[in-house]
Amino acid sequence: MSNPVCTSRADCEALDNADTLAFARNRFLLPEGVIYLDGNSLGPLPVATVKRIEEAVRGEWGDGLIRSWNAADWVGLPRRVGGEIARLIGAQPDEVVAADSTSINLFKLLSGALVLASRKDSARKVILSERDNFPTDLYIAQGINTALGSAYELRLVDGNIESAFDDRVAAALITQVDYRSGRMHDMQRLNEAAVSAGLRIIWDLSHSAGAVPVNLATSGTELAVGCGYKYLNGGPGAPAYLYVAKSLQRDFPMSLAGWFGHVAPFDFNPEYSPAVGIERFQCGTPSVLAMLALECGLATFSDISFANLRRKSLSLSDLFWQLIDVHCAEFGFACISPRDHAMRGSQLSFAHEQAYSIMQAIIERGVIGDFRKPDLIRFGFAPLYLRYTDIWDAVVALRDVMQSDAWKAYRHQHRNQVT
Amino acid sequence: MSNPVCTSRADCEALDNADTLAFARNRFLLPEGVIYLDGNSLGPLPVATVKRIEEAVRGEWGDGLIRSWNAADWVGLPRRVGGEIARLIGAQPDEVVAADSTSINLFKLLSGALVLASRKDSARKVILSERDNFPTDLYIAQGINTALGSAYELRLVDGNIESAFDDRVAAALITQVDYRSGRMHDMQRLNEAAVSAGLRIIWDLSHSAGAVPVNLATSGTELAVGCGYKYLNGGPGAPAYLYVAKSLQRDFPMSLAGWFGHVAPFDFNPEYSPAVGIERFQCGTPSVLAMLALECGLATFSDISFANLRRKSLSLSDLFWQLIDVHCAEFGFACISPRDHAMRGSQLSFAHEQAYSIMQAIIERGVIGDFRKPDLIRFGFAPLYLRYTDIWDAVVALRDVMQSDAWKAYRHQHRNQVT
């Protein structure tokens, strides 16, 4: 653990006063009375987004109308936003494009990777993933079979995925940081193992980019996707992104061949000729408002040192864990997240048999985390806007809810709730 | 032609005064000095959208944060918006969902339709379409082969597509109203012919819904997609929609299997079990801002009689054509759109060898239509906000540009322009 134990709220205030990232909190409009520990699920509203969206609605759409596709460079948004994301994940600007949803982007990269694999070795018929991977990643792999006529086996691993790399595997879908436990993979090690085994990994950065160090170039990553609405603060259902290493772009097979990926969309040629670069990985017309909101989300990272970001993220989660150990020891919370910093993302999850009711009770007190089935309360630590005192106050709220049995008011609700 | 020839602007004013849809113009924020004849490409900004988006950004996202997925029913948006679209296209509310882009939705329906076809008759290996279809429809058909391993031939028809229906065709992609010429198909007749030939049509309603009568139920349509940002006024790159007739929903194969199409997305089950109804046709997380803007666009159709809408659309295009014939006869414009009302959508296109320069020159004067390669100027007639006097003024502007040779200033630009 990196920081000294805080024995009082004043200790946390001292940490806030010394925080070199404290200035970034002003970039967000956080509601009064809320401690937001769910930025790993939906990032909060950046200050700049409000004005930018209003300008875009009134000015670019309302006054500019169709002319804004060129005059306001709407047509360049997917590339421009992709270039900003590239900075956060150690890629070149021409290796990332913002487009569609994470699910759709997974389909693009997985279907293409399978075609590439089958050209080299048609005996590779396994798509590998982790049973605990975010479900949409697994669903996309299952849907691939619908499109391809049931040719692939989706093999789900419970333990060490590297041990399942073999000469039957065509591609692996691996998420850098697990959405439930926060466990983080060593991308470089897995990429090297994948090269040795002759398979390709498609990385999902949804729960890592923007909160933990990601360097796609130095880790030898070829293919990746990620989400715009979590740590990137792009707004609810923001466009996702995808990364394709330069060397793979030119011949990458595109099954979702839409007009925005065409080499000359406005030629209206009946023949599909994909763009040469990262533009190829677009499909249909992107939502301009959603792209602009994502662009504002990314701007919250300007002038931020990634080393500081990581340091603070770990300090916050260490502090939370310490305070739970000290102040909530008797309530039976069991942290399922890795203690080892090298294996920890920017979140912590605690198992408790009353997890659902407890989370409802602390949300009622303004401490927003989330519940994940069957028995987890989950807290994300976004270093751009969280304060050390927020962590203190959150644990105090949790302790109060446990001591006062306030969580019991939500037991009945849980039984009747579908999700 | 339905209305008497207008011989003066005063005649057009009289038509405006008698217009039973005139009240709807107040639902839009149209810029001063602009006559907008490109609502078939991007609909204008509805008044209500500005406030709704600001509320959603500040209130639902900013203050509500993650809670708004339930509290503001973000999760229900694709169904709710789909239900509103259903009203415009003669479908049941549980047969339409708003999701993704038109291109992505085409892939969903085409890939599924091909699987269904192959189960019945594996010898059907042709995807049929029109060479003049909007290119993304053709590109999606070409991309299907990438995903499926080159099993299908895309056969493009130049003339009557019905004559190409045969027992080799698995599915046909047909757009109701042609994006260039405005030619409208008889959906019912083609649907009947498709049933006889044992194939399935996937209709693209992008250039028709919201401006011409569409009745998917009475025309016997099984599968359709459409665009949210044209006549539906949903904003730039608005979400698209898809329609699947109730009878086909339950067993429809989903190749783009994402978590929002799961029967219980928040169970986070590793096994994909698609929802039973139209929810199945969602894939990833939808953009909330884009969905809300589309919802406002659809609200511009409330209390509008579709018969009046069609009547006015045809009156406007008739008037435009008449005025071109009278006032621009000597300039060599050749209308390529059908004169027959039964075959005409809500737009007119004119061929002229200086089409690009002419369009630039009238846009400079505030009359916004668009140019389509190689030699077309295209005008859309959205009856919700256009006035008969707008038509008069647009033709006067066009005549002035021709008489004054103002278009010649744009010749050099054309040569240097990529699109």
Side-chain angles (χ1 to χ4, degrees):
Chain A
M1 301 260 171
S2 57
N3 37 288
V5 177
C6 290
T7 57
S8 68
R9 196 172 190 281
D11 288 349
C12 295
E13 282 169 10
L15 290 176
D16 283 332
N17 290 334
D19 177 9
T20 58
L21 288 176
F23 70 95
R25 182 173 168 90
N26 287 335
R27 297 178 175 183
F28 297 89
L29 286 169
L30 293 155
E32 284 289 315
V34 163
I35 295 171
Y36 195 55
L37 304 178
D38 212 8
N40 51 316
S41 190
L42 172 65
L45 172 62
V47 173
T49 307
V50 179
K51 187 147 169 281
R52 183 70 188 91
I53 293 296
E54 199 197 339
E55 279 171 7
V57 169
R58 283 188 180 272
E60 295 182 12
W61 174 15
D63 294 333
L65 292 161
I66 190 73
R67 298 168 291 196
S68 291
W69 277 106
N70 291 311
D73 195 28
W74 287 348
V75 81
L77 271 171
R79 274 293 307 267
R80 198 165 82 220
V81 173
E84 289 299 313
I85 294 168
R87 287 180 52 242
L88 302 184
I89 58 178
Q92 294 300 311
D94 59 356
E95 292 179 316
V96 181
V97 69
D100 298 306
S101 64
T102 308
S103 303
I104 296 290
N105 289 336
L106 280 164
F107 187 91
K108 292 174 190 168
L109 297 193
L110 179 58
S111 61
L114 293 178
V115 172
L116 291 179
S118 70
R119 285 183 193 158
K120 275 175 53 184
D121 178 359
S122 61
R124 289 182 181 263
K125 287 292 182 199
V126 170
I127 302 167
L128 193 69
S129 195
E130 295 173 294
R131 191 177 309 279
D132 281 343
N133 199 350
F134 190 78
T136 215
D137 300 58
L138 307 181
Y139 302 162
I140 288 296
Q142 291 167 63
I144 286 272
N145 273 341
T146 304
L148 292 170
S150 294
Y152 287 88
E153 174 203 343
L154 174 61
R155 189 179 293 167
L156 297 182
V157 178
D158 285 303
N160 174 12
I161 193 165
E162 193 180 331
S163 65
F165 288 2
D166 65 29
D167 60 9
R168 300 258 314 162
V169 176
L173 295 174
I174 310 183
T175 296
Q176 187 187 7
V177 170
D178 183 83
Y179 78 106
R180 261 187 300 226
S181 70
R183 185 267 306 117
M184 183 162 69
H185 277 302
D186 180 337
M187 292 181 70
Q188 184 168 349
R189 208 193 64 220
L190 286 176
N191 282 333
E192 286 165 4
V195 169
S196 300
L199 60 93
R200 219 159 234 144
I201 300 176
I202 297 154
W203 285 99
D204 185 339
L205 309 174
S206 293
H207 297 86
S208 46
V212 306
V214 184
N215 195 314
L216 300 188
T218 60
S219 63
T221 300
E222 291 187 302
L223 301 167
V225 302
C227 167
Y229 55 79
K230 298 176 184 290
Y231 294 114
L232 305 193
N233 308 311
Y241 60 90
L242 60 76
Y243 156 90
V244 179
K246 195 78 184 157
S247 59
L248 272 183
Q249 288 175 10
R250 179 181 276 268
D251 297 314
F252 199 86
M254 270 301 284
S255 54
L256 295 177
W259 75 310
F260 261 68
H262 196 275
V263 65
F266 298 98
D267 275 2
F268 300 100
N269 192 312
E271 197 70 38
Y272 178 64
S273 304
V276 175
I278 194 72
E279 295 89 340
R280 163 185 309 218
F281 299 91
Q282 298 178 75
C283 185
T285 313
S287 164
V288 169
L289 299 183
M291 282 281 170
L292 291 172
L294 176 54
E295 192 171 39
C296 293
L298 295 165
T300 63
F301 288 91
S302 66
D303 308 317
I304 299 294
S305 144
F306 291 106
N308 283 349
L309 204 71
R310 174 62 171 165
R311 203 175 301 123
K312 184 175 171 189
S313 156
L314 288 170
S315 287
L316 291 168
S317 59
D318 280 348
L319 176 62
F320 191 91
W321 199 336
Q322 286 165 350
L323 293 177
I324 293 283
D325 283 348
V326 172
H327 299 287
C328 296
E330 69 268 39
F331 304 120
F333 292 105
C335 189
I336 65 154
S337 305
R339 199 167 280 274
D340 180 359
H341 281 177
M343 293 180 61
R344 192 195 306 170
S346 198
Q347 63 180 73
L348 294 176
S349 292
F350 296 83
H352 193 289
E353 60 178 2
Q354 300 298 340
Y356 175 84
S357 308
I358 293 166
M359 182 50 70
Q360 294 308 110
I362 63 171
I363 288 174
E364 194 63 38
R365 288 168 190 228
V367 178
I368 302 180
D370 58 25
F371 164 73
R372 283 293 173 265
K373 285 191 172 184
D375 64 350
L376 295 177
I377 52 176
R378 189 177 71 152
F379 302 95
F381 304 99
L384 284 183
Y385 46 85
L386 286 177
R387 297 169 300 202
Y388 292 93
T389 43
D390 290 332
I391 303 303
W392 179 273
D393 295 341
V395 175
V396 167
L398 179 58
R399 186 189 58 200
D400 287 352
V401 156
M402 299 310 295
Q403 281 179 340
S404 66
D405 285 344
W407 58 271
K408 290 187 176 170
Y410 300 90
R411 277 191 297 182
H412 181 66
Q413 208 175 318
H414 185 201
R415 280 202 300 276
N416 289 332
Q417 180 140 335
V418 180
T419 63
Chain B
M1 302 261 171
S2 57
N3 36 287
V5 177
C6 290
T7 59
S8 68
R9 196 173 190 282
D11 288 349
C12 294
E13 282 170 9
L15 290 176
D16 283 333
N17 290 334
D19 177 10
T20 57
L21 288 176
F23 70 96
R25 183 174 167 89
N26 288 334
R27 297 178 176 183
F28 297 89
L29 286 169
L30 293 155
E32 284 290 315
V34 163
I35 294 172
Y36 195 55
L37 303 178
D38 212 7
N40 51 316
S41 190
L42 172 66
L45 172 62
V47 174
T49 307
V50 179
K51 186 147 170 280
R52 183 69 188 92
I53 292 296
E54 199 197 338
E55 280 171 5
V57 169
R58 281 187 181 273
E60 295 182 13
W61 175 15
D63 294 334
L65 292 160
I66 190 72
R67 298 169 291 197
S68 291
W69 276 105
N70 292 312
D73 195 28
W74 287 347
V75 80
L77 270 170
R79 274 293 307 268
R80 197 164 84 221
V81 173
E84 289 299 313
I85 295 168
R87 286 180 53 242
L88 302 183
I89 57 178
Q92 294 301 311
D94 59 356
E95 292 179 317
V96 181
V97 69
D100 299 306
S101 64
T102 307
S103 303
I104 296 290
N105 289 336
L106 280 164
F107 186 90
K108 293 175 190 166
L109 298 193
L110 178 59
S111 61
L114 294 178
V115 172
L116 291 179
S118 70
R119 284 182 193 158
K120 274 174 56 185
D121 179 358
S122 60
R124 289 183 181 262
K125 287 293 181 197
V126 170
I127 302 168
L128 194 69
S129 195
E130 296 174 294
R131 191 176 308 279
D132 281 343
N133 199 351
F134 190 79
T136 215
D137 300 58
L138 307 181
Y139 301 162
I140 288 295
Q142 291 166 64
I144 286 272
N145 273 341
T146 304
L148 291 169
S150 295
Y152 288 88
E153 174 203 344
L154 173 61
R155 191 179 292 168
L156 297 182
V157 178
D158 285 304
N160 173 11
I161 193 166
E162 192 179 333
S163 65
F165 287 2
D166 65 28
D167 60 7
R168 299 262 317 184
V169 176
L173 296 174
I174 309 182
T175 296
Q176 186 187 7
V177 170
D178 183 83
Y179 78 105
R180 261 188 299 225
S181 69
R183 184 266 306 118
M184 184 163 67
H185 278 301
D186 180 337
M187 292 180 71
Q188 184 168 347
R189 207 193 64 219
L190 285 175
N191 281 332
E192 285 165 4
V195 169
S196 299
L199 60 91
R200 222 161 230 140
I201 300 176
I202 297 153
W203 285 99
D204 185 339
L205 309 174
S206 294
H207 297 86
S208 46
V212 306
V214 184
N215 196 315
L216 299 188
T218 60
S219 63
T221 300
E222 293 188 295
L223 301 167
V225 303
C227 168
Y229 54 79
K230 297 176 184 291
Y231 294 114
L232 305 193
N233 307 313
Y241 59 92
L242 61 76
Y243 156 90
V244 178
K246 195 79 184 160
S247 59
L248 272 184
Q249 289 175 10
R250 179 181 278 266
D251 297 315
F252 199 86
M254 271 300 284
S255 54
L256 295 178
W259 75 309
F260 261 68
H262 195 276
V263 66
F266 298 99
D267 275 3
F268 300 99
N269 192 313
E271 198 69 38
Y272 178 64
S273 304
V276 174
I278 194 71
E279 293 90 340
R280 163 185 310 217
F281 299 91
Q282 298 177 76
C283 185
T285 312
S287 164
V288 169
L289 299 182
M291 283 280 168
L292 291 171
L294 176 54
E295 192 171 40
C296 292
L298 295 164
T300 62
F301 288 91
S302 65
D303 307 316
I304 299 295
S305 144
F306 291 106
N308 283 349
L309 204 71
R310 173 62 169 166
R311 202 175 301 123
K312 184 175 171 189
S313 156
L314 288 169
S315 287
L316 292 168
S317 59
D318 279 348
L319 176 62
F320 191 91
W321 199 337
Q322 286 165 351
L323 294 177
I324 292 283
D325 282 349
V326 172
H327 299 287
C328 296
E330 70 269 39
F331 304 120
F333 293 104
C335 189
I336 65 155
S337 305
R339 198 167 282 275
D340 179 0
H341 281 177
M343 291 179 63
R344 192 196 305 169
S346 198
Q347 63 181 75
L348 294 177
S349 291
F350 297 83
H352 193 290
E353 60 178 2
Q354 300 298 341
Y356 175 83
S357 307
I358 294 166
M359 182 50 69
Q360 293 308 111
I362 64 171
I363 287 173
E364 195 62 37
R365 288 166 191 231
V367 177
I368 302 180
D370 58 26
F371 164 73
R372 283 294 173 264
K373 286 191 173 185
D375 63 351
L376 295 177
I377 51 175
R378 188 177 72 153
F379 301 96
F381 303 98
L384 284 184
Y385 47 85
L386 287 178
R387 297 168 300 202
Y388 292 93
T389 44
D390 290 332
I391 303 302
W392 178 273
D393 295 341
V395 174
V396 167
L398 180 58
R399 186 188 60 201
D400 288 351
V401 156
M402 299 310 295
Q403 282 179 339
S404 67
D405 286 344
W407 59 271
K408 289 187 177 171
Y410 300 90
R411 278 191 297 183
H412 180 67
Q413 210 175 317
H414 185 202
R415 280 202 301 276
N416 289 334
Q417 182 139 336
V418 181
T419 62

